Amino acid sequence: MTDDLRTAALESKAWPYEEARKLLKRYPNGKSGDPVLFETGYGPSGLPHIGTFNEVLRTTMVRNAFHALSDTPTRLIAFSDDMDGLRKVPDNVPNGDMLREHLGKPLTQIPDPFGTHSSFAAHNNAILREFLDRYGFDYEFASSTEYYTGGRFDEALKGVLRHFQGIQDVMLPTLRAERRATYSPVLPISPTSGIVLQVPIEVIDAEAGLIAFEDDGQRIEQSVLGGKAKLQWKVDWAMRWVALGVDYEMAGKDLIDSVTQSSKIARVLGGRPPEGFNYEMFLDENGEKISKSKGNGLSLEQWLTYGPEESLAFYAYREPKKAKSLHMGVIPRAVDEYWQFRGNYAGQDLKQQLGNPVHHIHDGKLPTGELPVTFGLLLNLVGVMGDASEEQVWGYLANYVPDASAEKYPELDRLIGYALAYSRDFVAPTLTRRAPEGVEVAALERLDAELAALPTEASAEDIQNIVYEIGKTGGFENLRDWFKALYETLLGSEQGPRMGSFIALYGVANSRKLIAEALAR
């Protein structure tokens, strides 16, 4: 760690450094003995989605920023609330009728509807861990069930019983009257049905962890220790912070009230709430919040079918306190903007680099390599090629990129695969080339003639100058109308690339064929 980097990080306005400085203020003399503990939470009642990944990614960015500011060691726990009772059957999983038979039971006690793991929670936890491992996160996975049943929370649970009334004093004023009448911070697990019960409890002996409650008309005295009970969500969160010593945890804007109440409970338990901030939610293309149970928005697998991991990380980094739509249409722009910022990085001073998203995506260790064409241009190319192979795309790239090969441009080779998949599934079905009209006909005829007269060594810039000149003098009200006509008649879309670059990439002869086809309509 250089002194220059630490000095710049102390002053950087990039949000991960602003968050990391909260931890410096929390421990001005360092945290004695223990690592600074970061935590993320996940409820495995449904399949993980990009919002889940996003929280681990953003927390990791803050953790990396803290490393630039302090030599204090850190840990990151990815905590799964897999002891929660299943409240409703998700819309996007098989065997819903089977799941309904187990409503109310802890997620780790419900059979896997996919038939591949020991429980529903185990299936969803495995998907989450597989993805986090694929991305290379440095984290420790923690299971609520294992922590409860293994006794890790036993002392903290006794503390909840000791401070039972204090916790009630925090929670009861926030509840409606009917909920207030039956609310309990502690949820015993029925010894007969195995369901997580929402019933009032009586503390019999806090030091022994003993409570009493009614189950199906019978009074039961039972321990809360060793996995025989769990806590209500907000109390559980606070207990976990205190039991584990969590120093930093961010949460979505929809959990602001939960953070407030859990922080109060943590103080009742004698602990200190963690630092953190509330990020805005991802929305689907209809502007609705992404939900695990609905399965709306994008899945992790969907994004990674059509765009690389770093494009997803770029999208997650930008403006975390602003709600953003998350649908297929945002992927191409995220890919190209990532590469734009990556291309700028080497020429920036240190202060600018620390504010560059790619610095936080790669923790300042950027991979080598360059991208000689944009992803948008690739999409336009494969869009007009139709059902093309990677080898055919590389053949066209040779028109535009000197010494074009997968060996020289491995990053471009990866993007070709994504472009072919995206174009096949989302671009090709929407392409409709229209016939030129009015002044467009003469303009296209002139463009064809100008291209025919070009020397073989003409550059993309030479072609772009021709396109511009025709647009200025061809009878169009403005250049935008000319470009729109080119996109709609030649490419079949309302938007498109810089035409000089596209024609150079697709080849003059092939571009003239496109013009001929348009004029023949």
Side-chain angles (χ1 to χ4, degrees), residues 39-45 77-84 107-108 121-122 124-126 128-129 140-148 153 230 236 240:
E39 182 181 59
T40 62
Y42 164 61
S45 58
I77 291 179
F79 199 95
S80 173
D81 287 303
D82 56 17
M83 200 167 164
D84 287 355
L107 295 164
T108 43
N124 293 339
N125 286 342
L128 176 70
R129 296 176 72 172
E140 303 164 36
F141 180 79
S143 159
S144 177
T145 299
E146 291 178 5
Y147 276 42
Y148 270 103
F153 287 153
K230 72 172 300 293
D236 185 273
R240 194 161 79 215

PDB file of all heavy atoms in Angstrom, residues 39-45 77-84 107-108 121-122 124-126 128-129 140-148 153 230 236 240:
ATOM      1  N   GLU A  39     -20.770  -8.183   6.671  1.00  0.00           N
ATOM      2  CA  GLU A  39     -21.766  -9.238   6.520  1.00  0.00           C
ATOM      3  C   GLU A  39     -22.725  -8.892   5.388  1.00  0.00           C
ATOM      4  O   GLU A  39     -23.047  -7.727   5.153  1.00  0.00           O
ATOM      5  CB  GLU A  39     -22.570  -9.429   7.816  1.00  0.00           C
ATOM      6  CG  GLU A  39     -23.592 -10.561   7.705  1.00  0.00           C
ATOM      7  CD  GLU A  39     -24.419 -10.738   8.968  1.00  0.00           C
ATOM      8  OE1 GLU A  39     -25.105  -9.770   9.365  1.00  0.00           O
ATOM      9  OE2 GLU A  39     -24.393 -11.832   9.538  1.00  0.00           O
ATOM     10  N   THR A  40     -23.165  -9.920   4.675  1.00  0.00           N
ATOM     11  CA  THR A  40     -24.286  -9.792   3.745  1.00  0.00           C
ATOM     12  C   THR A  40     -25.295 -10.866   4.107  1.00  0.00           C
ATOM     13  O   THR A  40     -24.939 -11.925   4.627  1.00  0.00           O
ATOM     14  CB  THR A  40     -23.854  -9.980   2.279  1.00  0.00           C
ATOM     15  OG1 THR A  40     -23.338 -11.311   2.116  1.00  0.00           O
ATOM     16  CG2 THR A  40     -22.787  -8.970   1.890  1.00  0.00           C
ATOM     17  N   GLY A  41     -26.564 -10.607   3.839  1.00  0.00           N
ATOM     18  CA  GLY A  41     -27.604 -11.559   4.178  1.00  0.00           C
ATOM     19  C   GLY A  41     -28.381 -12.006   2.965  1.00  0.00           C
ATOM     20  O   GLY A  41     -28.532 -11.260   1.986  1.00  0.00           O
ATOM     21  N   TYR A  42     -28.895 -13.227   3.024  1.00  0.00           N
ATOM     22  CA  TYR A  42     -29.655 -13.789   1.913  1.00  0.00           C
ATOM     23  C   TYR A  42     -30.751 -14.678   2.475  1.00  0.00           C
ATOM     24  O   TYR A  42     -30.498 -15.527   3.335  1.00  0.00           O
ATOM     25  CB  TYR A  42     -28.723 -14.604   1.017  1.00  0.00           C
ATOM     26  CG  TYR A  42     -29.419 -15.549   0.062  1.00  0.00           C
ATOM     27  CD1 TYR A  42     -30.297 -15.070  -0.899  1.00  0.00           C
ATOM     28  CD2 TYR A  42     -29.206 -16.927   0.135  1.00  0.00           C
ATOM     29  CE1 TYR A  42     -30.941 -15.934  -1.770  1.00  0.00           C
ATOM     30  CE2 TYR A  42     -29.842 -17.799  -0.737  1.00  0.00           C
ATOM     31  CZ  TYR A  42     -30.708 -17.295  -1.690  1.00  0.00           C
ATOM     32  OH  TYR A  42     -31.342 -18.140  -2.546  1.00  0.00           O
ATOM     33  N   GLY A  43     -31.984 -14.498   2.001  1.00  0.00           N
ATOM     34  CA  GLY A  43     -33.089 -15.357   2.407  1.00  0.00           C
ATOM     35  C   GLY A  43     -33.362 -16.393   1.337  1.00  0.00           C
ATOM     36  O   GLY A  43     -33.873 -16.045   0.264  1.00  0.00           O
ATOM     37  N   PRO A  44     -33.036 -17.663   1.562  1.00  0.00           N
ATOM     38  CA  PRO A  44     -33.148 -18.680   0.503  1.00  0.00           C
ATOM     39  C   PRO A  44     -34.554 -19.230   0.321  1.00  0.00           C
ATOM     40  O   PRO A  44     -34.735 -20.418   0.053  1.00  0.00           O
ATOM     41  CB  PRO A  44     -32.173 -19.768   0.984  1.00  0.00           C
ATOM     42  CG  PRO A  44     -32.237 -19.689   2.466  1.00  0.00           C
ATOM     43  CD  PRO A  44     -32.445 -18.225   2.791  1.00  0.00           C
ATOM     44  N   SER A  45     -35.560 -18.373   0.460  1.00  0.00           N
ATOM     45  CA  SER A  45     -36.932 -18.807   0.208  1.00  0.00           C
ATOM     46  C   SER A  45     -37.232 -18.826  -1.283  1.00  0.00           C
ATOM     47  O   SER A  45     -38.295 -19.274  -1.701  1.00  0.00           O
ATOM     48  CB  SER A  45     -37.918 -17.881   0.919  1.00  0.00           C
ATOM     49  OG  SER A  45     -37.739 -16.545   0.492  1.00  0.00           O
ATOM     50  N   ILE A  77     -18.718 -12.337   5.856  1.00  0.00           N
ATOM     51  CA  ILE A  77     -19.618 -13.473   6.027  1.00  0.00           C
ATOM     52  C   ILE A  77     -20.833 -13.271   5.127  1.00  0.00           C
ATOM     53  O   ILE A  77     -21.488 -12.235   5.165  1.00  0.00           O
ATOM     54  CB  ILE A  77     -20.076 -13.608   7.489  1.00  0.00           C
ATOM     55  CG1 ILE A  77     -18.908 -14.035   8.386  1.00  0.00           C
ATOM     56  CG2 ILE A  77     -21.217 -14.615   7.611  1.00  0.00           C
ATOM     57  CD1 ILE A  77     -19.289 -14.166   9.853  1.00  0.00           C
ATOM     58  N   ALA A  78     -21.125 -14.280   4.300  1.00  0.00           N
ATOM     59  CA  ALA A  78     -22.366 -14.311   3.518  1.00  0.00           C
ATOM     60  C   ALA A  78     -23.338 -15.204   4.282  1.00  0.00           C
ATOM     61  O   ALA A  78     -23.195 -16.430   4.292  1.00  0.00           O
ATOM     62  CB  ALA A  78     -22.112 -14.844   2.117  1.00  0.00           C
ATOM     63  N   PHE A  79     -24.293 -14.584   4.950  1.00  0.00           N
ATOM     64  CA  PHE A  79     -25.166 -15.292   5.893  1.00  0.00           C
ATOM     65  C   PHE A  79     -26.486 -15.655   5.232  1.00  0.00           C
ATOM     66  O   PHE A  79     -27.170 -14.798   4.660  1.00  0.00           O
ATOM     67  CB  PHE A  79     -25.420 -14.418   7.124  1.00  0.00           C
ATOM     68  CG  PHE A  79     -25.915 -15.184   8.315  1.00  0.00           C
ATOM     69  CD1 PHE A  79     -25.029 -15.631   9.283  1.00  0.00           C
ATOM     70  CD2 PHE A  79     -27.262 -15.474   8.459  1.00  0.00           C
ATOM     71  CE1 PHE A  79     -25.481 -16.349  10.384  1.00  0.00           C
ATOM     72  CE2 PHE A  79     -27.726 -16.185   9.549  1.00  0.00           C
ATOM     73  CZ  PHE A  79     -26.825 -16.630  10.514  1.00  0.00           C
ATOM     74  N   SER A  80     -26.863 -16.923   5.317  1.00  0.00           N
ATOM     75  CA  SER A  80     -28.126 -17.403   4.757  1.00  0.00           C
ATOM     76  C   SER A  80     -29.144 -17.620   5.876  1.00  0.00           C
ATOM     77  O   SER A  80     -28.906 -18.394   6.806  1.00  0.00           O
ATOM     78  CB  SER A  80     -27.904 -18.718   4.001  1.00  0.00           C
ATOM     79  OG  SER A  80     -29.140 -19.274   3.601  1.00  0.00           O
ATOM     80  N   ASP A  81     -30.281 -16.943   5.763  1.00  0.00           N
ATOM     81  CA  ASP A  81     -31.358 -17.105   6.750  1.00  0.00           C
ATOM     82  C   ASP A  81     -32.166 -18.361   6.439  1.00  0.00           C
ATOM     83  O   ASP A  81     -33.390 -18.307   6.239  1.00  0.00           O
ATOM     84  CB  ASP A  81     -32.268 -15.869   6.739  1.00  0.00           C
ATOM     85  CG  ASP A  81     -31.612 -14.657   7.372  1.00  0.00           C
ATOM     86  OD1 ASP A  81     -31.214 -14.754   8.539  1.00  0.00           O
ATOM     87  OD2 ASP A  81     -31.493 -13.627   6.682  1.00  0.00           O
ATOM     88  N   ASP A  82     -31.478 -19.500   6.433  1.00  0.00           N
ATOM     89  CA  ASP A  82     -32.126 -20.726   5.973  1.00  0.00           C
ATOM     90  C   ASP A  82     -32.908 -21.457   7.057  1.00  0.00           C
ATOM     91  O   ASP A  82     -33.403 -22.562   6.816  1.00  0.00           O
ATOM     92  CB  ASP A  82     -31.105 -21.660   5.330  1.00  0.00           C
ATOM     93  CG  ASP A  82     -29.936 -22.011   6.239  1.00  0.00           C
ATOM     94  OD1 ASP A  82     -30.046 -21.815   7.467  1.00  0.00           O
ATOM     95  OD2 ASP A  82     -28.908 -22.475   5.717  1.00  0.00           O
ATOM     96  N   MET A  83     -33.028 -20.855   8.233  1.00  0.00           N
ATOM     97  CA  MET A  83     -33.894 -21.442   9.269  1.00  0.00           C
ATOM     98  C   MET A  83     -35.263 -20.769   9.291  1.00  0.00           C
ATOM     99  O   MET A  83     -36.144 -21.141  10.068  1.00  0.00           O
ATOM    100  CB  MET A  83     -33.222 -21.340  10.646  1.00  0.00           C
ATOM    101  CG  MET A  83     -33.801 -22.329  11.655  1.00  0.00           C
ATOM    102  SD  MET A  83     -32.763 -22.461  13.116  1.00  0.00           S
ATOM    103  CE  MET A  83     -33.915 -23.257  14.240  1.00  0.00           C
ATOM    104  N   ASP A  84     -35.455 -19.766   8.432  1.00  0.00           N
ATOM    105  CA  ASP A  84     -36.756 -19.106   8.342  1.00  0.00           C
ATOM    106  C   ASP A  84     -37.824 -20.110   7.911  1.00  0.00           C
ATOM    107  O   ASP A  84     -37.554 -21.031   7.124  1.00  0.00           O
ATOM    108  CB  ASP A  84     -36.718 -17.970   7.324  1.00  0.00           C
ATOM    109  CG  ASP A  84     -35.946 -16.765   7.839  1.00  0.00           C
ATOM    110  OD1 ASP A  84     -35.527 -16.796   9.007  1.00  0.00           O
ATOM    111  OD2 ASP A  84     -35.748 -15.809   7.060  1.00  0.00           O
ATOM    112  N   LEU A 107     -36.627 -23.659   6.197  1.00  0.00           N
ATOM    113  CA  LEU A 107     -36.276 -23.962   4.812  1.00  0.00           C
ATOM    114  C   LEU A 107     -35.337 -25.152   4.688  1.00  0.00           C
ATOM    115  O   LEU A 107     -35.339 -25.851   3.679  1.00  0.00           O
ATOM    116  CB  LEU A 107     -35.642 -22.719   4.173  1.00  0.00           C
ATOM    117  CG  LEU A 107     -36.591 -21.524   4.035  1.00  0.00           C
ATOM    118  CD1 LEU A 107     -35.804 -20.242   3.779  1.00  0.00           C
ATOM    119  CD2 LEU A 107     -37.606 -21.757   2.937  1.00  0.00           C
ATOM    120  N   THR A 108     -34.557 -25.397   5.742  1.00  0.00           N
ATOM    121  CA  THR A 108     -33.647 -26.543   5.708  1.00  0.00           C
ATOM    122  C   THR A 108     -34.371 -27.847   6.018  1.00  0.00           C
ATOM    123  O   THR A 108     -33.772 -28.926   5.906  1.00  0.00           O
ATOM    124  CB  THR A 108     -32.491 -26.350   6.712  1.00  0.00           C
ATOM    125  OG1 THR A 108     -33.012 -25.831   7.935  1.00  0.00           O
ATOM    126  CG2 THR A 108     -31.444 -25.399   6.167  1.00  0.00           C
ATOM    127  N   ALA A 121     -33.515 -25.159   1.020  1.00  0.00           N
ATOM    128  CA  ALA A 121     -32.474 -24.180   1.358  1.00  0.00           C
ATOM    129  C   ALA A 121     -31.125 -24.617   0.810  1.00  0.00           C
ATOM    130  O   ALA A 121     -30.359 -23.797   0.293  1.00  0.00           O
ATOM    131  CB  ALA A 121     -32.397 -24.002   2.871  1.00  0.00           C
ATOM    132  N   ALA A 122     -30.807 -25.906   0.913  1.00  0.00           N
ATOM    133  CA  ALA A 122     -29.513 -26.393   0.430  1.00  0.00           C
ATOM    134  C   ALA A 122     -29.372 -26.158  -1.065  1.00  0.00           C
ATOM    135  O   ALA A 122     -28.292 -25.792  -1.555  1.00  0.00           O
ATOM    136  CB  ALA A 122     -29.356 -27.875   0.752  1.00  0.00           C
ATOM    137  N   ASN A 124     -30.876 -23.737  -2.896  1.00  0.00           N
ATOM    138  CA  ASN A 124     -30.700 -22.308  -3.179  1.00  0.00           C
ATOM    139  C   ASN A 124     -29.361 -21.796  -2.653  1.00  0.00           C
ATOM    140  O   ASN A 124     -28.723 -20.944  -3.277  1.00  0.00           O
ATOM    141  CB  ASN A 124     -31.863 -21.521  -2.572  1.00  0.00           C
ATOM    142  CG  ASN A 124     -33.177 -21.848  -3.264  1.00  0.00           C
ATOM    143  OD1 ASN A 124     -33.188 -22.330  -4.388  1.00  0.00           O
ATOM    144  ND2 ASN A 124     -34.277 -21.589  -2.594  1.00  0.00           N
ATOM    145  N   ASN A 125     -28.921 -22.310  -1.492  1.00  0.00           N
ATOM    146  CA  ASN A 125     -27.605 -21.939  -0.985  1.00  0.00           C
ATOM    147  C   ASN A 125     -26.506 -22.360  -1.951  1.00  0.00           C
ATOM    148  O   ASN A 125     -25.525 -21.632  -2.161  1.00  0.00           O
ATOM    149  CB  ASN A 125     -27.353 -22.595   0.376  1.00  0.00           C
ATOM    150  CG  ASN A 125     -28.135 -21.943   1.507  1.00  0.00           C
ATOM    151  OD1 ASN A 125     -28.606 -20.816   1.381  1.00  0.00           O
ATOM    152  ND2 ASN A 125     -28.295 -22.666   2.603  1.00  0.00           N
ATOM    153  N   ALA A 126     -26.647 -23.544  -2.540  1.00  0.00           N
ATOM    154  CA  ALA A 126     -25.623 -24.048  -3.464  1.00  0.00           C
ATOM    155  C   ALA A 126     -25.528 -23.169  -4.696  1.00  0.00           C
ATOM    156  O   ALA A 126     -24.418 -22.898  -5.194  1.00  0.00           O
ATOM    157  CB  ALA A 126     -25.942 -25.488  -3.865  1.00  0.00           C
ATOM    158  N   LEU A 128     -26.266 -19.972  -4.861  1.00  0.00           N
ATOM    159  CA  LEU A 128     -25.621 -18.725  -4.443  1.00  0.00           C
ATOM    160  C   LEU A 128     -24.112 -18.915  -4.320  1.00  0.00           C
ATOM    161  O   LEU A 128     -23.328 -18.126  -4.857  1.00  0.00           O
ATOM    162  CB  LEU A 128     -26.205 -18.259  -3.115  1.00  0.00           C
ATOM    163  CG  LEU A 128     -25.535 -17.011  -2.518  1.00  0.00           C
ATOM    164  CD1 LEU A 128     -25.864 -15.783  -3.331  1.00  0.00           C
ATOM    165  CD2 LEU A 128     -25.952 -16.812  -1.064  1.00  0.00           C
ATOM    166  N   ARG A 129     -23.684 -19.964  -3.644  1.00  0.00           N
ATOM    167  CA  ARG A 129     -22.254 -20.182  -3.421  1.00  0.00           C
ATOM    168  C   ARG A 129     -21.520 -20.446  -4.732  1.00  0.00           C
ATOM    169  O   ARG A 129     -20.394 -19.977  -4.932  1.00  0.00           O
ATOM    170  CB  ARG A 129     -22.059 -21.343  -2.458  1.00  0.00           C
ATOM    171  CG  ARG A 129     -22.609 -21.065  -1.065  1.00  0.00           C
ATOM    172  CD  ARG A 129     -22.503 -22.259  -0.141  1.00  0.00           C
ATOM    173  NE  ARG A 129     -21.125 -22.515   0.266  1.00  0.00           N
ATOM    174  CZ  ARG A 129     -20.775 -23.390   1.185  1.00  0.00           C
ATOM    175  NH1 ARG A 129     -21.699 -24.115   1.785  1.00  0.00           N
ATOM    176  NH2 ARG A 129     -19.516 -23.552   1.507  1.00  0.00           N
ATOM    177  N   GLU A 140     -16.919 -16.070   3.633  1.00  0.00           N
ATOM    178  CA  GLU A 140     -17.199 -17.274   4.406  1.00  0.00           C
ATOM    179  C   GLU A 140     -18.707 -17.461   4.417  1.00  0.00           C
ATOM    180  O   GLU A 140     -19.436 -16.553   4.794  1.00  0.00           O
ATOM    181  CB  GLU A 140     -16.686 -17.122   5.844  1.00  0.00           C
ATOM    182  CG  GLU A 140     -15.198 -16.816   5.960  1.00  0.00           C
ATOM    183  CD  GLU A 140     -14.827 -16.296   7.334  1.00  0.00           C
ATOM    184  OE1 GLU A 140     -15.430 -16.787   8.319  1.00  0.00           O
ATOM    185  OE2 GLU A 140     -13.968 -15.405   7.419  1.00  0.00           O
ATOM    186  N   PHE A 141     -19.161 -18.619   3.989  1.00  0.00           N
ATOM    187  CA  PHE A 141     -20.597 -18.885   3.995  1.00  0.00           C
ATOM    188  C   PHE A 141     -21.047 -19.287   5.391  1.00  0.00           C
ATOM    189  O   PHE A 141     -20.381 -20.062   6.075  1.00  0.00           O
ATOM    190  CB  PHE A 141     -20.941 -20.004   3.004  1.00  0.00           C
ATOM    191  CG  PHE A 141     -22.403 -20.328   2.971  1.00  0.00           C
ATOM    192  CD1 PHE A 141     -23.283 -19.534   2.264  1.00  0.00           C
ATOM    193  CD2 PHE A 141     -22.902 -21.422   3.667  1.00  0.00           C
ATOM    194  CE1 PHE A 141     -24.642 -19.820   2.245  1.00  0.00           C
ATOM    195  CE2 PHE A 141     -24.253 -21.717   3.645  1.00  0.00           C
ATOM    196  CZ  PHE A 141     -25.125 -20.914   2.932  1.00  0.00           C
ATOM    197  N   ALA A 142     -22.182 -18.747   5.832  1.00  0.00           N
ATOM    198  CA  ALA A 142     -22.721 -19.071   7.154  1.00  0.00           C
ATOM    199  C   ALA A 142     -24.188 -19.444   7.019  1.00  0.00           C
ATOM    200  O   ALA A 142     -24.956 -18.754   6.345  1.00  0.00           O
ATOM    201  CB  ALA A 142     -22.563 -17.889   8.104  1.00  0.00           C
ATOM    202  N   SER A 143     -24.568 -20.531   7.649  1.00  0.00           N
ATOM    203  CA  SER A 143     -25.939 -21.021   7.631  1.00  0.00           C
ATOM    204  C   SER A 143     -26.599 -20.728   8.967  1.00  0.00           C
ATOM    205  O   SER A 143     -26.094 -21.116  10.028  1.00  0.00           O
ATOM    206  CB  SER A 143     -25.951 -22.529   7.359  1.00  0.00           C
ATOM    207  OG  SER A 143     -27.146 -23.125   7.798  1.00  0.00           O
ATOM    208  N   SER A 144     -27.757 -20.069   8.924  1.00  0.00           N
ATOM    209  CA  SER A 144     -28.507 -19.794  10.145  1.00  0.00           C
ATOM    210  C   SER A 144     -28.825 -21.086  10.890  1.00  0.00           C
ATOM    211  O   SER A 144     -28.676 -21.173  12.114  1.00  0.00           O
ATOM    212  CB  SER A 144     -29.804 -19.056   9.791  1.00  0.00           C
ATOM    213  OG  SER A 144     -30.587 -18.828  10.934  1.00  0.00           O
ATOM    214  N   THR A 145     -29.246 -22.101  10.158  1.00  0.00           N
ATOM    215  CA  THR A 145     -29.574 -23.380  10.792  1.00  0.00           C
ATOM    216  C   THR A 145     -28.374 -23.961  11.524  1.00  0.00           C
ATOM    217  O   THR A 145     -28.488 -24.419  12.670  1.00  0.00           O
ATOM    218  CB  THR A 145     -30.076 -24.381   9.728  1.00  0.00           C
ATOM    219  OG1 THR A 145     -31.259 -23.861   9.106  1.00  0.00           O
ATOM    220  CG2 THR A 145     -30.395 -25.727  10.360  1.00  0.00           C
ATOM    221  N   GLU A 146     -27.213 -23.937  10.885  1.00  0.00           N
ATOM    222  CA  GLU A 146     -26.017 -24.487  11.522  1.00  0.00           C
ATOM    223  C   GLU A 146     -25.625 -23.681  12.754  1.00  0.00           C
ATOM    224  O   GLU A 146     -25.198 -24.247  13.767  1.00  0.00           O
ATOM    225  CB  GLU A 146     -24.869 -24.521  10.515  1.00  0.00           C
ATOM    226  CG  GLU A 146     -25.068 -25.535   9.390  1.00  0.00           C
ATOM    227  CD  GLU A 146     -23.936 -25.513   8.386  1.00  0.00           C
ATOM    228  OE1 GLU A 146     -22.944 -24.779   8.611  1.00  0.00           O
ATOM    229  OE2 GLU A 146     -24.052 -26.214   7.360  1.00  0.00           O
ATOM    230  N   TYR A 147     -25.788 -22.365  12.687  1.00  0.00           N
ATOM    231  CA  TYR A 147     -25.418 -21.529  13.827  1.00  0.00           C
ATOM    232  C   TYR A 147     -26.385 -21.740  14.995  1.00  0.00           C
ATOM    233  O   TYR A 147     -25.975 -21.791  16.157  1.00  0.00           O
ATOM    234  CB  TYR A 147     -25.378 -20.058  13.422  1.00  0.00           C
ATOM    235  CG  TYR A 147     -24.068 -19.627  12.796  1.00  0.00           C
ATOM    236  CD1 TYR A 147     -23.415 -20.433  11.873  1.00  0.00           C
ATOM    237  CD2 TYR A 147     -23.468 -18.418  13.124  1.00  0.00           C
ATOM    238  CE1 TYR A 147     -22.219 -20.047  11.294  1.00  0.00           C
ATOM    239  CE2 TYR A 147     -22.273 -18.025  12.557  1.00  0.00           C
ATOM    240  CZ  TYR A 147     -21.656 -18.841  11.635  1.00  0.00           C
ATOM    241  OH  TYR A 147     -20.471 -18.469  11.075  1.00  0.00           O
ATOM    242  N   TYR A 148     -27.672 -21.860  14.696  1.00  0.00           N
ATOM    243  CA  TYR A 148     -28.662 -22.098  15.753  1.00  0.00           C
ATOM    244  C   TYR A 148     -28.499 -23.492  16.346  1.00  0.00           C
ATOM    245  O   TYR A 148     -28.403 -23.661  17.566  1.00  0.00           O
ATOM    246  CB  TYR A 148     -30.080 -21.935  15.209  1.00  0.00           C
ATOM    247  CG  TYR A 148     -30.656 -20.541  15.312  1.00  0.00           C
ATOM    248  CD1 TYR A 148     -30.727 -19.712  14.186  1.00  0.00           C
ATOM    249  CD2 TYR A 148     -31.155 -20.051  16.517  1.00  0.00           C
ATOM    250  CE1 TYR A 148     -31.287 -18.439  14.263  1.00  0.00           C
ATOM    251  CE2 TYR A 148     -31.715 -18.779  16.608  1.00  0.00           C
ATOM    252  CZ  TYR A 148     -31.773 -17.979  15.477  1.00  0.00           C
ATOM    253  OH  TYR A 148     -32.313 -16.705  15.559  1.00  0.00           O
ATOM    254  N   PHE A 153     -25.319 -19.499  18.667  1.00  0.00           N
ATOM    255  CA  PHE A 153     -26.142 -18.376  19.110  1.00  0.00           C
ATOM    256  C   PHE A 153     -26.710 -18.576  20.511  1.00  0.00           C
ATOM    257  O   PHE A 153     -27.504 -17.753  20.984  1.00  0.00           O
ATOM    258  CB  PHE A 153     -27.298 -18.148  18.128  1.00  0.00           C
ATOM    259  CG  PHE A 153     -26.888 -17.548  16.811  1.00  0.00           C
ATOM    260  CD1 PHE A 153     -27.638 -17.796  15.666  1.00  0.00           C
ATOM    261  CD2 PHE A 153     -25.772 -16.734  16.708  1.00  0.00           C
ATOM    262  CE1 PHE A 153     -27.278 -17.229  14.444  1.00  0.00           C
ATOM    263  CE2 PHE A 153     -25.395 -16.175  15.496  1.00  0.00           C
ATOM    264  CZ  PHE A 153     -26.153 -16.423  14.360  1.00  0.00           C
ATOM    265  N   LYS A 230     -36.112 -20.008  16.892  1.00  0.00           N
ATOM    266  CA  LYS A 230     -35.362 -18.956  16.209  1.00  0.00           C
ATOM    267  C   LYS A 230     -36.015 -17.628  16.549  1.00  0.00           C
ATOM    268  O   LYS A 230     -37.011 -17.605  17.280  1.00  0.00           O
ATOM    269  CB  LYS A 230     -35.317 -19.198  14.700  1.00  0.00           C
ATOM    270  CG  LYS A 230     -36.634 -18.957  13.985  1.00  0.00           C
ATOM    271  CD  LYS A 230     -36.475 -19.031  12.490  1.00  0.00           C
ATOM    272  CE  LYS A 230     -35.484 -18.007  11.955  1.00  0.00           C
ATOM    273  NZ  LYS A 230     -35.957 -16.609  12.115  1.00  0.00           N
ATOM    274  N   ASP A 236     -33.715 -11.179  15.117  1.00  0.00           N
ATOM    275  CA  ASP A 236     -32.681 -12.096  14.645  1.00  0.00           C
ATOM    276  C   ASP A 236     -31.492 -11.322  14.068  1.00  0.00           C
ATOM    277  O   ASP A 236     -30.321 -11.642  14.342  1.00  0.00           O
ATOM    278  CB  ASP A 236     -33.276 -13.016  13.576  1.00  0.00           C
ATOM    279  CG  ASP A 236     -32.307 -14.083  13.108  1.00  0.00           C
ATOM    280  OD1 ASP A 236     -31.516 -13.810  12.172  1.00  0.00           O
ATOM    281  OD2 ASP A 236     -32.325 -15.183  13.663  1.00  0.00           O
ATOM    282  N   ARG A 240     -27.760 -11.289  15.677  1.00  0.00           N
ATOM    283  CA  ARG A 240     -26.620 -11.733  14.867  1.00  0.00           C
ATOM    284  C   ARG A 240     -25.505 -10.686  14.875  1.00  0.00           C
ATOM    285  O   ARG A 240     -24.323 -11.020  14.982  1.00  0.00           O
ATOM    286  CB  ARG A 240     -27.120 -12.002  13.452  1.00  0.00           C
ATOM    287  CG  ARG A 240     -26.169 -12.775  12.590  1.00  0.00           C
ATOM    288  CD  ARG A 240     -26.935 -13.358  11.435  1.00  0.00           C
ATOM    289  NE  ARG A 240     -27.217 -12.413  10.373  1.00  0.00           N
ATOM    290  CZ  ARG A 240     -28.331 -12.415   9.650  1.00  0.00           C
ATOM    291  NH1 ARG A 240     -29.284 -13.287   9.912  1.00  0.00           N
ATOM    292  NH2 ARG A 240     -28.505 -11.542   8.674  1.00  0.00           N
TER     293      ARG A 240
END
